Amino acid sequence: MPESSTVLLLSGSLRAASSNNAVLRTAHAAAPAGVRTVRYDGLAELPHFNPDDDTDAPPAPVAALRAAIADAAAVLICTPEYAGTLPGSFKNLLDWTVGTADINDKPTAWVNAANPGRGQGAEATLRSVLEYTGARIVEPACVRIAAGGRERDPEGRIADPEVREQLAKVLTLLVEA
Ligand SMILES: Cc1cc2nc3c(=O)[nH]c(=O)nc-3n(C[C@H](O)[C@H](O)[C@H](O)COP(=O)(O)O)c2cc1C
């Protein structure tokens, strides 16, 4: 059974200095009282999706991903755009969730961290793929927070208190959904 106040944070970037990871680190720190956030960090370990392995006994990293989703009441995604769409590694993560309906009916939102006028392709693809997963998209919690070039604190979180407030609101909307 998922914990009603737990939000799983999924990043689409493997880059060490990632702005999407900075957004999710900030969300983790800004979680309001009563909301627990869990950062998923297994993206690099996931094998390429193969329907033959999409069973009740999948590879260990896939089982860990599915358990993390199952334990969460809601999901918050922050992913870059690569070549007009999602990064292949993140689409691969989502592919592992389709057949087993892990995200089905799970309140889900995303933060688009791209600069103004950019990142629409990733957002459009994310919406389309999430519809296949059966995720329940929480529209008011899907926001844009341009993260590139923003000042970060020593822990790599965005320093701007307004961003922290915005992310706290996103998390509240997700657990209330
Ligand atoms: C291979 C590659 C392709 C990219 N393609 C796009 C793109 O199509 N549209 C876009 O807005 N940004 C594109 N970008 C820019 C990234 O989305 C941007 O640098 C983003 O901040 C990277 O996220 P990260 O900081 O979390 O790693 C691309 C970057 C890379 C490395």
Side-chain angles (χ1 to χ4, degrees), residues 11-23 78-85 87 112-122 144 147-148 152:
S11 172
S13 179
L14 291 166
R15 199 168 70 88
S18 160
S19 52
N20 287 273
N21 288 345
V23 167
C78 198
T79 179
E81 176 169 315
Y82 283 175
T85 183
N112 187 338
N115 286 332
R118 309 203 61 176
Q120 298 97 326
R144 268 188 170 263
R152 299 187 196 177

mmCIF file of all heavy atoms in Angstrom, residues 11-23 78-85 87 112-122 144 147-148 152, ligand 1:
data_model
loop_
_atom_site.group_PDB
_atom_site.id
_atom_site.type_symbol
_atom_site.label_atom_id
_atom_site.label_comp_id
_atom_site.label_asym_id
_atom_site.label_seq_id
_atom_site.Cartn_x
_atom_site.Cartn_y
_atom_site.Cartn_z
ATOM 1 N N SER A 11 13.882 11.990 -11.803
ATOM 2 C CA SER A 11 14.621 12.892 -12.693
ATOM 3 C C SER A 11 14.933 12.198 -14.003
ATOM 4 O O SER A 11 15.249 11.006 -14.023
ATOM 5 C CB SER A 11 15.939 13.336 -12.048
ATOM 6 O OG SER A 11 16.716 14.056 -12.997
ATOM 7 N N GLY A 12 14.885 12.962 -15.089
ATOM 8 C CA GLY A 12 15.231 12.430 -16.405
ATOM 9 C C GLY A 12 16.664 12.715 -16.789
ATOM 10 O O GLY A 12 17.057 12.429 -17.924
ATOM 11 N N SER A 13 17.455 13.273 -15.880
ATOM 12 C CA SER A 13 18.831 13.636 -16.234
ATOM 13 C C SER A 13 19.841 12.832 -15.443
ATOM 14 O O SER A 13 19.702 12.646 -14.235
ATOM 15 C CB SER A 13 19.088 15.123 -15.974
ATOM 16 O OG SER A 13 20.435 15.439 -16.304
ATOM 17 N N LEU A 14 20.877 12.380 -16.134
ATOM 18 C CA LEU A 14 21.979 11.667 -15.488
ATOM 19 C C LEU A 14 23.170 12.604 -15.261
ATOM 20 O O LEU A 14 24.187 12.187 -14.706
ATOM 21 C CB LEU A 14 22.427 10.497 -16.375
ATOM 22 C CG LEU A 14 21.430 9.335 -16.494
ATOM 23 C CD1 LEU A 14 21.822 8.404 -17.644
ATOM 24 C CD2 LEU A 14 21.357 8.562 -15.195
ATOM 25 N N ARG A 15 23.058 13.854 -15.666
ATOM 26 C CA ARG A 15 24.194 14.781 -15.633
ATOM 27 C C ARG A 15 24.492 15.219 -14.195
ATOM 28 O O ARG A 15 23.579 15.575 -13.446
ATOM 29 C CB ARG A 15 23.846 15.998 -16.496
ATOM 30 C CG ARG A 15 25.012 16.825 -16.953
ATOM 31 C CD ARG A 15 24.560 17.794 -18.024
ATOM 32 N NE ARG A 15 23.709 18.840 -17.508
ATOM 33 C CZ ARG A 15 24.143 19.984 -17.014
ATOM 34 N NH1 ARG A 15 25.447 20.217 -16.958
ATOM 35 N NH2 ARG A 15 23.300 20.903 -16.583
ATOM 36 N N ALA A 16 25.776 15.228 -13.839
ATOM 37 C CA ALA A 16 26.145 15.543 -12.450
ATOM 38 C C ALA A 16 25.621 16.917 -12.034
ATOM 39 O O ALA A 16 25.067 17.072 -10.948
ATOM 40 C CB ALA A 16 27.664 15.472 -12.299
ATOM 41 N N ALA A 17 25.776 17.913 -12.898
ATOM 42 C CA ALA A 17 25.377 19.280 -12.518
ATOM 43 C C ALA A 17 23.974 19.617 -13.019
ATOM 44 O O ALA A 17 23.636 20.784 -13.217
ATOM 45 C CB ALA A 17 26.396 20.270 -13.072
ATOM 46 N N SER A 18 23.170 18.621 -13.191
ATOM 47 C CA SER A 18 21.838 18.770 -13.792
ATOM 48 C C SER A 18 20.953 19.806 -13.109
ATOM 49 O O SER A 18 20.809 19.826 -11.881
ATOM 50 C CB SER A 18 21.139 17.401 -13.722
ATOM 51 O OG SER A 18 19.746 17.549 -13.846
ATOM 52 N N SER A 19 20.318 20.647 -13.941
ATOM 53 C CA SER A 19 19.365 21.618 -13.390
ATOM 54 C C SER A 19 18.065 20.920 -12.982
ATOM 55 O O SER A 19 17.401 21.339 -12.024
ATOM 56 C CB SER A 19 19.096 22.727 -14.410
ATOM 57 O OG SER A 19 18.732 22.172 -15.651
ATOM 58 N N ASN A 20 17.710 19.848 -13.667
ATOM 59 C CA ASN A 20 16.505 19.094 -13.278
ATOM 60 C C ASN A 20 16.716 18.423 -11.916
ATOM 61 O O ASN A 20 15.807 18.416 -11.075
ATOM 62 C CB ASN A 20 16.163 18.057 -14.348
ATOM 63 C CG ASN A 20 15.593 18.712 -15.598
ATOM 64 O OD1 ASN A 20 14.399 18.943 -15.678
ATOM 65 N ND2 ASN A 20 16.445 19.061 -16.537
ATOM 66 N N ASN A 21 17.921 17.905 -11.694
ATOM 67 C CA ASN A 21 18.206 17.326 -10.378
ATOM 68 C C ASN A 21 18.203 18.415 -9.309
ATOM 69 O O ASN A 21 17.778 18.169 -8.177
ATOM 70 C CB ASN A 21 19.555 16.602 -10.387
ATOM 71 C CG ASN A 21 19.499 15.315 -11.183
ATOM 72 O OD1 ASN A 21 18.419 14.816 -11.492
ATOM 73 N ND2 ASN A 21 20.653 14.788 -11.537
ATOM 74 N N ALA A 22 18.674 19.610 -9.678
ATOM 75 C CA ALA A 22 18.662 20.723 -8.706
ATOM 76 C C ALA A 22 17.229 21.055 -8.304
ATOM 77 O O ALA A 22 16.943 21.309 -7.126
ATOM 78 C CB ALA A 22 19.348 21.947 -9.312
ATOM 79 N N VAL A 23 16.315 21.023 -9.269
ATOM 80 C CA VAL A 23 14.902 21.287 -8.951
ATOM 81 C C VAL A 23 14.385 20.233 -7.974
ATOM 82 O O VAL A 23 13.726 20.560 -6.978
ATOM 83 C CB VAL A 23 14.052 21.297 -10.241
ATOM 84 C CG1 VAL A 23 12.566 21.261 -9.915
ATOM 85 C CG2 VAL A 23 14.381 22.526 -11.084
ATOM 86 N N CYS A 78 10.865 15.564 -13.262
ATOM 87 C CA CYS A 78 11.573 16.739 -13.788
ATOM 88 C C CYS A 78 12.603 16.219 -14.789
ATOM 89 O O CYS A 78 13.541 15.514 -14.412
ATOM 90 C CB CYS A 78 12.244 17.493 -12.645
ATOM 91 S SG CYS A 78 12.692 19.184 -13.069
ATOM 92 N N THR A 79 12.389 16.521 -16.036
ATOM 93 C CA THR A 79 13.251 15.939 -17.080
ATOM 94 C C THR A 79 13.654 16.979 -18.116
ATOM 95 O O THR A 79 12.861 17.856 -18.463
ATOM 96 C CB THR A 79 12.533 14.766 -17.797
ATOM 97 O OG1 THR A 79 13.406 14.239 -18.815
ATOM 98 C CG2 THR A 79 11.234 15.188 -18.446
ATOM 99 N N PRO A 80 14.875 16.881 -18.620
ATOM 100 C CA PRO A 80 15.257 17.757 -19.724
ATOM 101 C C PRO A 80 14.634 17.294 -21.037
ATOM 102 O O PRO A 80 14.065 16.190 -21.115
ATOM 103 C CB PRO A 80 16.778 17.617 -19.789
ATOM 104 C CG PRO A 80 17.100 16.310 -19.166
ATOM 105 C CD PRO A 80 15.982 15.991 -18.212
ATOM 106 N N GLU A 81 14.767 18.139 -22.044
ATOM 107 C CA GLU A 81 14.416 17.758 -23.421
ATOM 108 C C GLU A 81 15.708 17.461 -24.166
ATOM 109 O O GLU A 81 16.663 18.229 -24.087
ATOM 110 C CB GLU A 81 13.682 18.919 -24.098
ATOM 111 C CG GLU A 81 13.369 18.657 -25.565
ATOM 112 C CD GLU A 81 12.417 19.709 -26.125
ATOM 113 O OE1 GLU A 81 11.431 20.037 -25.440
ATOM 114 O OE2 GLU A 81 12.687 20.202 -27.237
ATOM 115 N N TYR A 82 15.715 16.325 -24.860
ATOM 116 C CA TYR A 82 16.831 16.004 -25.746
ATOM 117 C C TYR A 82 16.246 15.808 -27.144
ATOM 118 O O TYR A 82 15.344 14.972 -27.338
ATOM 119 C CB TYR A 82 17.512 14.701 -25.327
ATOM 120 C CG TYR A 82 18.444 14.788 -24.122
ATOM 121 C CD1 TYR A 82 19.023 13.627 -23.610
ATOM 122 C CD2 TYR A 82 18.755 15.993 -23.503
ATOM 123 C CE1 TYR A 82 19.873 13.672 -22.518
ATOM 124 C CE2 TYR A 82 19.614 16.051 -22.406
ATOM 125 C CZ TYR A 82 20.162 14.879 -21.924
ATOM 126 O OH TYR A 82 21.017 14.919 -20.833
ATOM 127 N N ALA A 83 16.798 16.521 -28.116
ATOM 128 C CA ALA A 83 16.399 16.345 -29.520
ATOM 129 C C ALA A 83 14.876 16.374 -29.690
ATOM 130 O O ALA A 83 14.295 15.522 -30.364
ATOM 131 C CB ALA A 83 16.995 15.051 -30.088
ATOM 132 N N GLY A 84 14.260 17.316 -29.019
ATOM 133 C CA GLY A 84 12.830 17.538 -29.211
ATOM 134 C C GLY A 84 11.920 16.588 -28.458
ATOM 135 O O GLY A 84 10.700 16.641 -28.602
ATOM 136 N N THR A 85 12.493 15.709 -27.644
ATOM 137 C CA THR A 85 11.652 14.732 -26.935
ATOM 138 C C THR A 85 12.296 14.403 -25.582
ATOM 139 O O THR A 85 13.118 15.163 -25.066
ATOM 140 C CB THR A 85 11.442 13.480 -27.832
ATOM 141 O OG1 THR A 85 10.574 12.578 -27.170
ATOM 142 C CG2 THR A 85 12.741 12.793 -28.200
ATOM 143 N N PRO A 87 14.744 12.368 -22.919
ATOM 144 C CA PRO A 87 15.997 11.610 -22.986
ATOM 145 C C PRO A 87 15.674 10.117 -23.100
ATOM 146 O O PRO A 87 14.733 9.617 -22.452
ATOM 147 C CB PRO A 87 16.656 11.905 -21.626
ATOM 148 C CG PRO A 87 16.044 13.172 -21.155
ATOM 149 C CD PRO A 87 14.643 13.180 -21.685
ATOM 150 N N ASN A 112 8.699 21.617 -15.552
ATOM 151 C CA ASN A 112 9.506 21.848 -16.750
ATOM 152 C C ASN A 112 10.560 22.900 -16.388
ATOM 153 O O ASN A 112 10.229 24.062 -16.169
ATOM 154 C CB ASN A 112 8.606 22.328 -17.894
ATOM 155 C CG ASN A 112 9.358 22.414 -19.210
ATOM 156 O OD1 ASN A 112 10.590 22.523 -19.216
ATOM 157 N ND2 ASN A 112 8.637 22.374 -20.314
ATOM 158 N N ALA A 113 11.823 22.461 -16.302
ATOM 159 C CA ALA A 113 12.894 23.344 -15.830
ATOM 160 C C ALA A 113 13.603 24.081 -16.961
ATOM 161 O O ALA A 113 14.588 24.775 -16.734
ATOM 162 C CB ALA A 113 13.910 22.520 -15.038
ATOM 163 N N ALA A 114 13.103 23.914 -18.195
ATOM 164 C CA ALA A 114 13.762 24.548 -19.352
ATOM 165 C C ALA A 114 13.546 26.059 -19.330
ATOM 166 O O ALA A 114 12.610 26.569 -18.698
ATOM 167 C CB ALA A 114 13.205 23.954 -20.640
ATOM 168 N N ASN A 115 14.387 26.747 -20.055
ATOM 169 C CA ASN A 115 14.231 28.196 -20.180
ATOM 170 C C ASN A 115 13.001 28.515 -21.030
ATOM 171 O O ASN A 115 12.547 27.653 -21.804
ATOM 172 C CB ASN A 115 15.491 28.812 -20.797
ATOM 173 C CG ASN A 115 16.634 28.840 -19.800
ATOM 174 O OD1 ASN A 115 16.408 28.904 -18.586
ATOM 175 N ND2 ASN A 115 17.854 28.761 -20.299
ATOM 176 N N PRO A 116 12.448 29.732 -20.876
ATOM 177 C CA PRO A 116 11.242 30.083 -21.642
ATOM 178 C C PRO A 116 11.416 29.800 -23.138
ATOM 179 O O PRO A 116 12.469 30.051 -23.713
ATOM 180 C CB PRO A 116 11.099 31.585 -21.377
ATOM 181 C CG PRO A 116 11.758 31.802 -20.058
ATOM 182 C CD PRO A 116 12.893 30.821 -19.998
ATOM 183 N N GLY A 117 10.376 29.243 -23.743
ATOM 184 C CA GLY A 117 10.403 28.954 -25.176
ATOM 185 C C GLY A 117 11.076 27.641 -25.511
ATOM 186 O O GLY A 117 11.177 27.268 -26.689
ATOM 187 N N ARG A 118 11.552 26.921 -24.492
ATOM 188 C CA ARG A 118 12.224 25.640 -24.747
ATOM 189 C C ARG A 118 11.539 24.537 -23.950
ATOM 190 O O ARG A 118 10.733 24.801 -23.065
ATOM 191 C CB ARG A 118 13.701 25.732 -24.356
ATOM 192 C CG ARG A 118 14.374 26.939 -24.969
ATOM 193 C CD ARG A 118 15.833 26.789 -25.082
ATOM 194 N NE ARG A 118 16.190 25.654 -25.950
ATOM 195 C CZ ARG A 118 17.429 25.345 -26.286
ATOM 196 N NH1 ARG A 118 18.425 26.065 -25.824
ATOM 197 N NH2 ARG A 118 17.685 24.313 -27.060
ATOM 198 N N GLY A 119 11.832 23.307 -24.290
ATOM 199 C CA GLY A 119 11.338 22.183 -23.488
ATOM 200 C C GLY A 119 9.911 21.756 -23.792
ATOM 201 O O GLY A 119 9.388 20.854 -23.130
ATOM 202 N N GLN A 120 9.279 22.359 -24.814
ATOM 203 C CA GLN A 120 7.875 21.966 -25.094
ATOM 204 C C GLN A 120 7.791 20.546 -25.628
ATOM 205 O O GLN A 120 6.794 19.851 -25.417
ATOM 206 C CB GLN A 120 7.219 22.908 -26.119
ATOM 207 C CG GLN A 120 7.104 24.343 -25.686
ATOM 208 C CD GLN A 120 8.253 25.168 -26.240
ATOM 209 O OE1 GLN A 120 9.379 24.688 -26.389
ATOM 210 N NE2 GLN A 120 7.997 26.415 -26.554
ATOM 211 N N GLY A 121 8.832 20.124 -26.374
ATOM 212 C CA GLY A 121 8.811 18.771 -26.962
ATOM 213 C C GLY A 121 8.820 17.703 -25.878
ATOM 214 O O GLY A 121 8.081 16.711 -25.945
ATOM 215 N N ALA A 122 9.663 17.919 -24.855
ATOM 216 C CA ALA A 122 9.723 16.942 -23.755
ATOM 217 C C ALA A 122 8.381 16.892 -23.036
ATOM 218 O O ALA A 122 7.891 15.811 -22.690
ATOM 219 C CB ALA A 122 10.832 17.328 -22.778
ATOM 220 N N ARG A 144 6.179 25.425 -14.715
ATOM 221 C CA ARG A 144 7.474 25.750 -15.319
ATOM 222 C C ARG A 144 8.305 26.523 -14.308
ATOM 223 O O ARG A 144 7.818 27.506 -13.745
ATOM 224 C CB ARG A 144 7.257 26.640 -16.553
ATOM 225 C CG ARG A 144 7.121 25.875 -17.833
ATOM 226 C CD ARG A 144 7.112 26.853 -19.000
ATOM 227 N NE ARG A 144 7.216 26.121 -20.232
ATOM 228 C CZ ARG A 144 8.361 25.924 -20.886
ATOM 229 N NH1 ARG A 144 9.484 26.442 -20.425
ATOM 230 N NH2 ARG A 144 8.375 25.227 -21.997
ATOM 231 N N ALA A 147 15.276 26.709 -14.558
ATOM 232 C CA ALA A 147 16.269 26.435 -13.512
ATOM 233 C C ALA A 147 17.703 26.733 -13.946
ATOM 234 O O ALA A 147 18.573 26.942 -13.109
ATOM 235 C CB ALA A 147 16.171 24.969 -13.082
ATOM 236 N N GLY A 148 17.946 26.767 -15.261
ATOM 237 C CA GLY A 148 19.304 26.976 -15.759
ATOM 238 C C GLY A 148 19.838 28.327 -15.298
ATOM 239 O O GLY A 148 19.155 29.336 -15.408
ATOM 240 N N ARG A 152 22.621 28.436 -6.835
ATOM 241 C CA ARG A 152 22.364 27.241 -6.020
ATOM 242 C C ARG A 152 23.103 27.359 -4.690
ATOM 243 O O ARG A 152 24.167 27.982 -4.617
ATOM 244 C CB ARG A 152 22.839 25.986 -6.756
ATOM 245 C CG ARG A 152 22.120 25.776 -8.072
ATOM 246 C CD ARG A 152 22.492 24.441 -8.700
ATOM 247 N NE ARG A 152 22.096 24.412 -10.108
ATOM 248 C CZ ARG A 152 22.341 23.402 -10.921
ATOM 249 N NH1 ARG A 152 22.976 22.335 -10.477
ATOM 250 N NH2 ARG A 152 21.950 23.452 -12.187
HETATM 251 C C1 LIG B 1 21.898 15.843 -26.593
HETATM 252 C C2 LIG B 1 21.131 17.059 -26.166
HETATM 253 C C3 LIG B 1 20.003 17.436 -26.867
HETATM 254 C C4 LIG B 1 19.250 18.544 -26.463
HETATM 255 N N1 LIG B 1 18.116 18.868 -27.154
HETATM 256 C C5 LIG B 1 17.337 19.881 -26.728
HETATM 257 C C6 LIG B 1 16.108 20.179 -27.379
HETATM 258 O O1 LIG B 1 15.718 19.529 -28.334
HETATM 259 N N2 LIG B 1 15.364 21.187 -26.905
HETATM 260 C C7 LIG B 1 15.734 21.922 -25.807
HETATM 261 O O2 LIG B 1 14.990 22.822 -25.389
HETATM 262 N N3 LIG B 1 16.916 21.680 -25.169
HETATM 263 C C8 LIG B 1 17.707 20.678 -25.610
HETATM 264 N N4 LIG B 1 18.888 20.383 -24.958
HETATM 265 C C9 LIG B 1 19.272 21.192 -23.811
HETATM 266 C C10 LIG B 1 18.918 20.509 -22.498
HETATM 267 O O3 LIG B 1 17.551 20.195 -22.428
HETATM 268 C C11 LIG B 1 19.267 21.463 -21.360
HETATM 269 O O4 LIG B 1 20.660 21.686 -21.377
HETATM 270 C C12 LIG B 1 18.852 20.946 -20.010
HETATM 271 O O5 LIG B 1 19.104 21.933 -19.058
HETATM 272 C C13 LIG B 1 19.604 19.715 -19.610
HETATM 273 O O6 LIG B 1 19.062 19.265 -18.389
HETATM 274 P P1 LIG B 1 19.994 18.985 -17.126
HETATM 275 O O7 LIG B 1 20.613 20.326 -16.748
HETATM 276 O O8 LIG B 1 19.047 18.521 -16.076
HETATM 277 O O9 LIG B 1 20.991 17.970 -17.500
HETATM 278 C C14 LIG B 1 19.658 19.303 -25.352
HETATM 279 C C15 LIG B 1 20.817 18.912 -24.653
HETATM 280 C C16 LIG B 1 21.535 17.809 -25.042
HETATM 281 C C17 LIG B 1 22.764 17.399 -24.242
#
